[in-house]
PDB file of all heavy atoms in Angstrom:
ATOM      1  N   ARG A  62       3.947   7.241   2.748  1.00 92.00           N
ATOM      2  CA  ARG A  62       3.278   8.510   2.152  1.00 92.00           C
ATOM      3  C   ARG A  62       2.989   8.358   0.654  1.00 92.00           C
ATOM      4  O   ARG A  62       1.932   8.656   0.156  1.00 92.00           O
ATOM      5  CB  ARG A  62       4.071   9.731   2.502  1.00 92.00           C
ATOM      6  CG  ARG A  62       3.910  10.066   4.047  1.00 92.00           C
ATOM      7  CD  ARG A  62       4.732  11.298   4.330  1.00 92.00           C
ATOM      8  NE  ARG A  62       4.471  11.679   5.658  1.00 92.00           N
ATOM      9  CZ  ARG A  62       5.452  12.177   6.543  1.00 92.00           C
ATOM     10  NH1 ARG A  62       6.686  12.260   6.087  1.00 92.00           N
ATOM     11  NH2 ARG A  62       5.204  12.472   7.741  1.00 92.00           N
ATOM     12  N   ASP A  63       4.122   7.967  -0.097  1.00 93.00           N
ATOM     13  CA  ASP A  63       3.949   7.864  -1.574  1.00 93.00           C
ATOM     14  C   ASP A  63       2.878   6.777  -2.019  1.00 93.00           C
ATOM     15  O   ASP A  63       2.295   6.957  -2.897  1.00 93.00           O
ATOM     16  CB  ASP A  63       5.315   7.651  -2.251  1.00 93.00           C
ATOM     17  CG  ASP A  63       6.262   8.714  -2.051  1.00 93.00           C
ATOM     18  OD1 ASP A  63       5.769   9.915  -1.971  1.00 93.00           O
ATOM     19  OD2 ASP A  63       7.505   8.533  -2.147  1.00 93.00           O
ATOM     20  N   ILE A  64       2.878   5.773  -1.169  1.00 93.00           N
ATOM     21  CA  ILE A  64       1.937   4.630  -1.407  1.00 93.00           C
ATOM     22  C   ILE A  64       0.566   5.107  -1.215  1.00 93.00           C
ATOM     23  O   ILE A  64      -0.344   4.943  -2.046  1.00 93.00           O
ATOM     24  CB  ILE A  64       2.272   3.436  -0.606  1.00 93.00           C
ATOM     25  CG1 ILE A  64       3.664   2.951  -0.766  1.00 93.00           C
ATOM     26  CG2 ILE A  64       1.247   2.323  -0.870  1.00 93.00           C
ATOM     27  CD1 ILE A  64       4.117   1.957   0.250  1.00 93.00           C
ATOM     28  N   TYR A  65       0.253   5.798  -0.121  1.00 92.00           N
ATOM     29  CA  TYR A  65      -1.080   6.386   0.121  1.00 92.00           C
ATOM     30  C   TYR A  65      -1.420   7.313  -0.913  1.00 92.00           C
ATOM     31  O   TYR A  65      -2.582   7.232  -1.447  1.00 92.00           O
ATOM     32  CB  TYR A  65      -1.062   7.129   1.442  1.00 92.00           C
ATOM     33  CG  TYR A  65      -1.358   6.325   2.660  1.00 92.00           C
ATOM     34  CD1 TYR A  65      -0.423   6.097   3.645  1.00 92.00           C
ATOM     35  CD2 TYR A  65      -2.597   5.657   2.787  1.00 92.00           C
ATOM     36  CE1 TYR A  65      -0.705   5.353   4.828  1.00 92.00           C
ATOM     37  CE2 TYR A  65      -2.869   4.941   4.010  1.00 92.00           C
ATOM     38  CZ  TYR A  65      -1.886   4.786   4.999  1.00 92.00           C
ATOM     39  OH  TYR A  65      -2.180   3.996   6.028  1.00 92.00           O
ATOM     40  N   GLN A  66      -0.572   8.169  -1.427  1.00 92.00           N
ATOM     41  CA  GLN A  66      -0.909   9.082  -2.481  1.00 92.00           C
ATOM     42  C   GLN A  66      -1.289   8.488  -3.753  1.00 92.00           C
ATOM     43  O   GLN A  66      -2.174   8.833  -4.399  1.00 92.00           O
ATOM     44  CB  GLN A  66       0.231  10.151  -2.571  1.00 92.00           C
ATOM     45  CG  GLN A  66       0.379  11.046  -1.475  1.00 92.00           C
ATOM     46  CD  GLN A  66       1.605  11.964  -1.450  1.00 92.00           C
ATOM     47  OE1 GLN A  66       2.462  11.716  -2.316  1.00 92.00           O
ATOM     48  NE2 GLN A  66       1.738  12.846  -0.572  1.00 92.00           N
ATOM     49  N   SER A  67      -0.471   7.507  -4.185  1.00 92.00           N
ATOM     50  CA  SER A  67      -0.775   6.812  -5.423  1.00 92.00           C
ATOM     51  C   SER A  67      -2.016   5.930  -5.310  1.00 92.00           C
ATOM     52  O   SER A  67      -2.789   5.842  -6.287  1.00 92.00           O
ATOM     53  CB  SER A  67       0.449   6.001  -5.867  1.00 92.00           C
ATOM     54  OG  SER A  67       0.657   4.889  -5.038  1.00 92.00           O
ATOM     55  N   ALA A  68      -2.233   5.335  -4.158  1.00 92.00           N
ATOM     56  CA  ALA A  68      -3.444   4.590  -3.894  1.00 92.00           C
ATOM     57  C   ALA A  68      -4.720   5.429  -4.041  1.00 92.00           C
ATOM     58  O   ALA A  68      -5.614   5.047  -4.646  1.00 92.00           O
ATOM     59  CB  ALA A  68      -3.378   3.844  -2.579  1.00 92.00           C
ATOM     60  N   ILE A  69      -4.588   6.533  -3.394  1.00 90.00           N
ATOM     61  CA  ILE A  69      -5.862   7.481  -3.429  1.00 90.00           C
ATOM     62  C   ILE A  69      -6.103   7.895  -4.856  1.00 90.00           C
ATOM     63  O   ILE A  69      -7.378   7.981  -5.213  1.00 90.00           O
ATOM     64  CB  ILE A  69      -5.566   8.696  -2.481  1.00 90.00           C
ATOM     65  CG1 ILE A  69      -5.579   8.199  -1.063  1.00 90.00           C
ATOM     66  CG2 ILE A  69      -6.566   9.790  -2.708  1.00 90.00           C
ATOM     67  CD1 ILE A  69      -5.026   9.205  -0.073  1.00 90.00           C
ATOM     68  N   GLN A  70      -5.158   8.068  -5.664  1.00 90.00           N
ATOM     69  CA  GLN A  70      -5.363   8.575  -7.048  1.00 90.00           C
ATOM     70  C   GLN A  70      -5.833   7.266  -7.913  1.00 90.00           C
ATOM     71  O   GLN A  70      -6.672   7.536  -8.834  1.00 90.00           O
ATOM     72  CB  GLN A  70      -4.159   9.072  -7.695  1.00 90.00           C
ATOM     73  CG  GLN A  70      -3.679  10.420  -7.113  1.00 90.00           C
ATOM     74  CD  GLN A  70      -2.340  10.996  -7.572  1.00 90.00           C
ATOM     75  OE1 GLN A  70      -1.640  10.187  -8.260  1.00 90.00           O
ATOM     76  NE2 GLN A  70      -2.076  12.132  -7.153  1.00 90.00           N
ATOM     77  N   ASP A  71      -5.428   6.117  -7.583  1.00 89.00           N
ATOM     78  CA  ASP A  71      -5.719   4.916  -8.364  1.00 89.00           C
ATOM     79  C   ASP A  71      -7.016   4.299  -8.027  1.00 89.00           C
ATOM     80  O   ASP A  71      -7.688   3.652  -8.919  1.00 89.00           O
ATOM     81  CB  ASP A  71      -4.588   3.842  -8.120  1.00 89.00           C
ATOM     82  CG  ASP A  71      -4.556   2.779  -9.154  1.00 89.00           C
ATOM     83  OD1 ASP A  71      -5.029   3.013 -10.263  1.00 89.00           O
ATOM     84  OD2 ASP A  71      -4.086   1.701  -8.798  1.00 89.00           O
ATOM     85  N   LEU A  72      -7.540   4.518  -6.830  1.00 88.00           N
ATOM     86  CA  LEU A  72      -8.748   3.824  -6.418  1.00 88.00           C
ATOM     87  C   LEU A  72     -10.022   4.661  -6.675  1.00 88.00           C
ATOM     88  O   LEU A  72      -9.883   5.911  -6.903  1.00 88.00           O
ATOM     89  CB  LEU A  72      -8.748   3.532  -4.903  1.00 88.00           C
ATOM     90  CG  LEU A  72      -7.675   2.457  -4.502  1.00 88.00           C
ATOM     91  CD1 LEU A  72      -7.544   2.465  -2.984  1.00 88.00           C
ATOM     92  CD2 LEU A  72      -7.971   1.127  -5.005  1.00 88.00           C
ATOM     93  N   GLY A  73     -11.155   4.006  -6.588  1.00 81.00           N
ATOM     94  CA  GLY A  73     -12.438   4.790  -6.765  1.00 81.00           C
ATOM     95  C   GLY A  73     -12.676   5.586  -5.489  1.00 81.00           C
ATOM     96  O   GLY A  73     -12.039   5.539  -4.577  1.00 81.00           O
ATOM     97  N   ASP A  74     -13.798   6.285  -5.515  1.00 83.00           N
ATOM     98  CA  ASP A  74     -14.171   7.261  -4.435  1.00 83.00           C
ATOM     99  C   ASP A  74     -14.272   6.637  -3.070  1.00 83.00           C
ATOM    100  O   ASP A  74     -13.700   7.071  -2.130  1.00 83.00           O
ATOM    101  CB  ASP A  74     -15.406   7.994  -4.785  1.00 83.00           C
ATOM    102  CG  ASP A  74     -15.210   9.077  -5.882  1.00 83.00           C
ATOM    103  OD1 ASP A  74     -14.044   9.377  -6.153  1.00 83.00           O
ATOM    104  OD2 ASP A  74     -16.152   9.453  -6.540  1.00 83.00           O
ATOM    105  N   SER A  75     -15.047   5.558  -3.011  1.00 87.00           N
ATOM    106  CA  SER A  75     -15.269   4.932  -1.679  1.00 87.00           C
ATOM    107  C   SER A  75     -14.064   4.313  -1.053  1.00 87.00           C
ATOM    108  O   SER A  75     -13.757   4.695   0.100  1.00 87.00           O
ATOM    109  CB  SER A  75     -16.348   3.846  -1.841  1.00 87.00           C
ATOM    110  OG  SER A  75     -16.646   3.305  -0.605  1.00 87.00           O
ATOM    111  N   PRO A  76     -13.278   3.518  -1.717  1.00 88.00           N
ATOM    112  CA  PRO A  76     -12.089   2.942  -1.120  1.00 88.00           C
ATOM    113  C   PRO A  76     -11.006   4.019  -0.853  1.00 88.00           C
ATOM    114  O   PRO A  76     -10.301   4.064   0.130  1.00 88.00           O
ATOM    115  CB  PRO A  76     -11.486   1.879  -1.993  1.00 88.00           C
ATOM    116  CG  PRO A  76     -12.306   1.971  -3.245  1.00 88.00           C
ATOM    117  CD  PRO A  76     -13.566   2.833  -2.939  1.00 88.00           C
ATOM    118  N   ALA A  77     -10.971   5.044  -1.843  1.00 88.00           N
ATOM    119  CA  ALA A  77     -10.011   6.172  -1.680  1.00 88.00           C
ATOM    120  C   ALA A  77     -10.312   6.995  -0.426  1.00 88.00           C
ATOM    121  O   ALA A  77      -9.374   7.423   0.290  1.00 88.00           O
ATOM    122  CB  ALA A  77      -9.973   6.998  -2.866  1.00 88.00           C
ATOM    123  N   SER A  78     -11.591   7.199  -0.117  1.00 89.00           N
ATOM    124  CA  SER A  78     -11.978   8.025   0.983  1.00 89.00           C
ATOM    125  C   SER A  78     -11.535   7.200   2.312  1.00 89.00           C
ATOM    126  O   SER A  78     -11.125   7.854   3.345  1.00 89.00           O
ATOM    127  CB  SER A  78     -13.436   8.326   1.130  1.00 89.00           C
ATOM    128  OG  SER A  78     -14.243   7.102   1.190  1.00 89.00           O
ATOM    129  N   GLN A  79     -11.699   5.911   2.364  1.00 91.00           N
ATOM    130  CA  GLN A  79     -11.255   5.146   3.511  1.00 91.00           C
ATOM    131  C   GLN A  79      -9.750   5.260   3.672  1.00 91.00           C
ATOM    132  O   GLN A  79      -9.213   5.428   4.789  1.00 91.00           O
ATOM    133  CB  GLN A  79     -11.608   3.699   3.369  1.00 91.00           C
ATOM    134  CG  GLN A  79     -11.275   2.872   4.569  1.00 91.00           C
ATOM    135  CD  GLN A  79     -11.908   3.374   5.887  1.00 91.00           C
ATOM    136  OE1 GLN A  79     -13.123   3.699   5.877  1.00 91.00           O
ATOM    137  NE2 GLN A  79     -11.106   3.443   6.927  1.00 91.00           N
ATOM    138  N   LEU A  80      -8.995   5.201   2.532  1.00 90.00           N
ATOM    139  CA  LEU A  80      -7.544   5.349   2.632  1.00 90.00           C
ATOM    140  C   LEU A  80      -7.115   6.763   3.099  1.00 90.00           C
ATOM    141  O   LEU A  80      -6.183   6.886   3.825  1.00 90.00           O
ATOM    142  CB  LEU A  80      -6.872   4.980   1.352  1.00 90.00           C
ATOM    143  CG  LEU A  80      -6.545   3.488   1.086  1.00 90.00           C
ATOM    144  CD1 LEU A  80      -5.819   3.376  -0.204  1.00 90.00           C
ATOM    145  CD2 LEU A  80      -5.756   2.934   2.245  1.00 90.00           C
ATOM    146  N   CYS A  81      -7.842   7.777   2.671  1.00 90.00           N
ATOM    147  CA  CYS A  81      -7.563   9.116   3.109  1.00 90.00           C
ATOM    148  C   CYS A  81      -7.770   9.196   4.713  1.00 90.00           C
ATOM    149  O   CYS A  81      -6.910   9.829   5.276  1.00 90.00           O
ATOM    150  CB  CYS A  81      -8.641  10.108   2.453  1.00 90.00           C
ATOM    151  SG  CYS A  81      -8.193  10.571   0.791  1.00 90.00           S
ATOM    152  N   LEU A  82      -8.801   8.553   5.192  1.00 91.00           N
ATOM    153  CA  LEU A  82      -8.876   8.561   6.626  1.00 91.00           C
ATOM    154  C   LEU A  82      -7.766   7.875   7.305  1.00 91.00           C
ATOM    155  O   LEU A  82      -7.148   8.344   8.353  1.00 91.00           O
ATOM    156  CB  LEU A  82     -10.230   7.943   7.057  1.00 91.00           C
ATOM    157  CG  LEU A  82     -11.495   8.656   6.691  1.00 91.00           C
ATOM    158  CD1 LEU A  82     -12.727   7.837   7.026  1.00 91.00           C
ATOM    159  CD2 LEU A  82     -11.546  10.032   7.427  1.00 91.00           C
ATOM    160  N   ASP A  83      -7.341   6.746   6.777  1.00 91.00           N
ATOM    161  CA  ASP A  83      -6.177   6.006   7.359  1.00 91.00           C
ATOM    162  C   ASP A  83      -4.897   6.827   7.219  1.00 91.00           C
ATOM    163  O   ASP A  83      -4.108   6.896   8.129  1.00 91.00           O
ATOM    164  CB  ASP A  83      -6.039   4.627   6.575  1.00 91.00           C
ATOM    165  CG  ASP A  83      -7.108   3.642   6.836  1.00 91.00           C
ATOM    166  OD1 ASP A  83      -7.817   3.886   7.881  1.00 91.00           O
ATOM    167  OD2 ASP A  83      -7.228   2.736   6.029  1.00 91.00           O
ATOM    168  N   PHE A  84      -4.772   7.509   6.081  1.00 92.00           N
ATOM    169  CA  PHE A  84      -3.552   8.324   5.892  1.00 92.00           C
ATOM    170  C   PHE A  84      -3.528   9.451   6.921  1.00 92.00           C
ATOM    171  O   PHE A  84      -2.527   9.780   7.498  1.00 92.00           O
ATOM    172  CB  PHE A  84      -3.608   8.911   4.446  1.00 92.00           C
ATOM    173  CG  PHE A  84      -2.409   9.530   3.925  1.00 92.00           C
ATOM    174  CD1 PHE A  84      -1.180   9.475   4.587  1.00 92.00           C
ATOM    175  CD2 PHE A  84      -2.419  10.347   2.789  1.00 92.00           C
ATOM    176  CE1 PHE A  84      -0.021  10.112   4.111  1.00 92.00           C
ATOM    177  CE2 PHE A  84      -1.348  10.900   2.263  1.00 92.00           C
ATOM    178  CZ  PHE A  84      -0.093  10.852   2.909  1.00 92.00           C
ATOM    179  N   ALA A  85      -4.691  10.101   7.091  1.00 92.00           N
ATOM    180  CA  ALA A  85      -4.826  11.215   8.027  1.00 92.00           C
ATOM    181  C   ALA A  85      -4.506  10.742   9.454  1.00 92.00           C
ATOM    182  O   ALA A  85      -3.807  11.376  10.286  1.00 92.00           O
ATOM    183  CB  ALA A  85      -6.116  11.875   7.975  1.00 92.00           C
TER     184      ALA A  85
END
Side-chain angles (χ1 to χ4, degrees):
R62 287 181 175 138
D63 291 335
I64 301 167
Y65 273 113
Q66 290 171 352
S67 66
I69 290 166
Q70 292 174 352
D71 194 27
L72 294 171
D74 287 342
S75 180
S78 64
Q79 183 58 46
L80 273 183
C81 281
L82 292 174
D83 294 342
F84 190 14

